[in-house]
Amino acid sequence: MGSFKGHVLPGTLFLLVGAWRVWSCVVRFAADPSGFRVRAWSPVGGSGGHLRLLELYVVAGGAFADMCVEVLYSTHLRIFAGGGVNPAHLNDLEHGGMLLMFFLFGALALLSQHTRYLPLTDGALCLVAATAFTAEFVLFYFHSTTHMGLEGYYHYLLVVLVGLCIVATVLGALLPASFPVDLASGVLIALQGLWFYQTAMTLYGPMLPKGCARDATGHIDCHARAAQERAEQLANFQLFGVVFLAFVYVLGCYAVAAARYGHPELTAMHEKHVAAMECHCDAGAGAEECAI
């Protein structure tokens, strides 16, 4: 992953899956608020057969393809050297191990759908997904390649997002009827994808901050402490930017889903909430006026 393409490929997978899960989540809630349930994966509605499992095929197939790139292509099949694992490619093998966990999640979910030998509930699959995110968290937190300076800061912010993914996914298993938890899980997955893109553009692309330079080995060095601090502040602003984009996307999805698929119960819930807020703010309202 220590390259522009190495960040864009997993970023694309995370972004596509996260954006789809956000849309699917708000549609399911708008169509049936009281019957809403957390899903470990979101089927493609209105289609049968294999297309219904498109998300799982994207997860399993994308993770497998990226794993082959890390383990086979990046190492040039020189995995072993001197009677042991080649230390020059430990970084690639660690990435491959993380991707293996996401492949296993997709494969287990597909197996659960296609056969009767491994019937896994959404709660169980949420815990499997949390295990994959935990592997990703451990990888980027205890990385064999020492990330220092600006590289370390961008990876630190990524670790924060991955940690929040773990929390949201575990809560999905514990709170199977929570709309905010399912929505947060999709948003955080999409944010991971956006941050992979931002990291690629900054560390390996044209957005390298002023005062920092990339050496022959690809490492980033900021020439002065002021340049380092300015670059980190820029990273904070970029994170705010991707969070804002996700916020706008969620609002847009919810507005469209409520207009197209909105259940009458959704309008009733909104009116009840507005009435309760008005009564709470109106100190002079009588008990009869605030009865809902």
Side-chain angles (χ1 to χ4, degrees):
M1 288 185 179
S3 65
F4 185 86
K5 294 180 180 179
H7 284 77
V8 167
L9 179 56
T12 301
L13 295 175
F14 278 117
L15 182 57
L16 289 176
V17 173
W20 164 246
R21 290 197 57 175
V22 168
W23 168 250
S24 176
C25 175
V26 296
V27 167
R28 286 185 285 112
F29 179 76
D32 186 11
S34 61
F36 180 84
R37 291 294 181 270
V38 173
R39 295 297 304 265
W41 60 278
S42 300
V44 178
S47 59
H50 297 297
L51 189 58
R52 175 176 172 272
L53 308 175
L54 181 61
E55 179 187 332
L56 296 180
Y57 285 116
V58 169
V59 172
F64 182 78
D66 201 2
M67 181 174 61
C68 290
V69 170
E70 293 288 344
V71 177
L72 302 179
Y73 176 77
S74 297
T75 63
H76 304 289
L77 297 179
R78 298 170 183 170
I79 300 175
F80 300 100
V85 178
N86 190 342
H89 296 300
L90 282 175
N91 181 39
D92 302 313
L93 296 178
E94 287 178 347
H95 291 156
M98 175 200 73
L99 293 164
L100 175 63
M101 296 303 300
F102 285 103
F103 168 74
L104 288 177
F105 164 74
L108 288 174
L110 285 170
L111 188 62
S112 178
Q113 291 296 312
H114 282 301
T115 71
R116 58 184 177 84
Y117 300 108
L118 195 64
L120 296 174
T121 63
D122 279 302
L125 287 173
C126 280
L127 295 179
V128 175
T131 304
F133 285 125
T134 302
E136 184 185 10
F137 181 91
V138 170
L139 166 69
F140 287 113
Y141 190 81
F142 303 103
H143 210 294
S144 66
T145 300
T146 303
H147 290 296
M148 303 295 292
L150 188 60
E151 291 177 278
Y153 194 72
Y154 271 83
H155 284 85
Y156 165 75
L157 294 178
L158 176 61
V159 165
V160 172
L161 293 177
V162 176
L164 291 175
C165 278
I166 296 172
V167 173
T169 309
V170 172
L171 286 176
L174 300 178
L175 303 172
S178 175
F179 168 67
V181 167
D182 201 18
L183 180 62
S185 179
V187 169
L188 288 166
I189 293 172
L191 282 176
Q192 269 203 73
L194 289 172
W195 193 245
F196 269 113
Y197 267 91
Q198 185 59 64
T199 301
M201 294 295 292
T202 302
L203 300 184
Y204 308 100
M207 296 179 64
L208 190 63
K210 184 178 180 180
C212 300
R214 189 181 301 107
D215 61 22
T217 62
H219 293 292
I220 308 299
D221 180 35
C222 295
H223 305 305
R225 179 60 186 172
Q228 173 74 24
E229 293 177 353
R230 185 170 56 250
E232 291 180 358
Q233 291 171 356
L234 179 61
N236 295 336
F237 181 75
Q238 290 168 345
L239 181 61
F240 165 78
V242 298
V243 171
F244 179 75
L245 284 177
F247 178 73
V248 172
Y249 175 72
V250 171
L251 287 182
C253 287
Y254 192 84
V256 173
R260 294 185 59 182
Y261 308 102
H263 192 277
E265 183 182 349
L266 188 64
T267 303
M269 290 172 60
H270 174 69
E271 293 175 349
K272 182 178 178 180
H273 176 71
V274 171
M277 291 298 296
E278 290 175 349
C279 287
H280 178 73
C281 295
D282 187 3
E288 293 82 2
E289 295 177 0
C290 290
I292 299 175

